[in-house]
Amino acid sequence: MSSLHPLRFEQGRPMLLGGLRQQHGFTESIQSQPAQWRQFHLLLPLPGQQGSSVYGVMCGHDPAHGFEYMCGVEVASLQDLPADMGRMRIASQQYAVFKHSGPLAQLGALWGAICNEWLPHSAYQSAHKPDFEIYDATFDWNAGSGEVEIWISVTNK
């Protein structure tokens, strides 16, 4: 994927996200992440939910144990969420924004290409802040297909 380039660079705004956080192993995530999304959609709308976009947030990863992922929505206040709900503050940050079109089953390959091919050879490095996917209201959850933006937090090298 030598032709991989960001769609644009964006200064992200601060956000409060509420949602469902779960740990996934790398090999099982092909089944466990769709199950997490199905479980999350049953919880909607969340108290104080703002907008119709939903976010898939990479909360952190460990090469030996997998990664933590949060399915979330923007909320007006973290205090209004149920006690068992995941919470996250996203700070203002510079992002490289990529676009995925098609089945979700192919999304992991784009994440891998961004992190393993584009980022090391770009003028940027990870800002070590949450990276996330944005699914807008047009995404077809039943088919598991559509357009998704991937926002990668970056700083200059």
Side-chain angles (χ1 to χ4, degrees):
M1 284 200 186
S2 58
S3 63
L4 180 64
H5 297 288
L7 182 65
R8 66 184 184 276
F9 288 87
E10 185 105 13
Q11 184 64 37
R13 61 182 173 77
M15 295 186 293
L16 300 176
L17 299 179
L20 184 62
R21 288 176 85 141
Q22 292 181 355
Q23 186 73 26
H24 298 275
F26 290 111
T27 54
E28 353 12 279
S29 67
I30 194 76
Q31 285 90 24
S32 62
Q33 273 189 289
Q36 180 183 356
W37 277 108
R38 286 190 296 276
Q39 186 181 358
F40 173 68
H41 281 286
L42 296 174
L43 303 172
L44 296 178
L46 296 186
Q49 181 173 332
Q50 298 185 318
S52 59
S53 293
V54 293
Y55 298 81
V57 186
M58 297 296 289
C59 306
H61 73 284
D62 175 332
H65 298 101
F67 59 96
E68 186 179 5
Y69 186 82
M70 182 169 122
C71 303
V73 292
E74 191 170 0
V75 294
S77 167
L78 298 177
Q79 290 73 27
D80 295 337
L81 295 171
D84 61 347
M85 191 69 50
R87 294 158 168 76
M88 182 174 291
R89 293 177 189 276
I90 303 285
S92 178
Q93 175 64 47
Q94 182 182 18
Y95 292 92
V97 180
F98 295 83
K99 186 181 211 173
H100 167 77
S101 296
L104 281 181
Q106 299 169 357
L107 189 60
L110 179 56
W111 272 100
I114 293 166
C115 296
N116 300 318
E117 296 173 31
W118 177 78
L119 194 57
H121 299 101
S122 74
Y124 302 92
Q125 62 188 2
S126 172
H128 300 289
K129 304 290 183 195
D131 300 318
F132 52 87
E133 305 148 354
I134 300 177
Y135 300 81
D136 71 17
T138 65
F139 189 83
D140 185 343
W141 289 100
N142 292 322
S145 188
E147 291 188 353
V148 179
E149 288 189 346
I150 299 176
W151 289 46
I152 304 294
S153 65
V154 294
T155 60
N156 294 330
K157 284 186 180 170

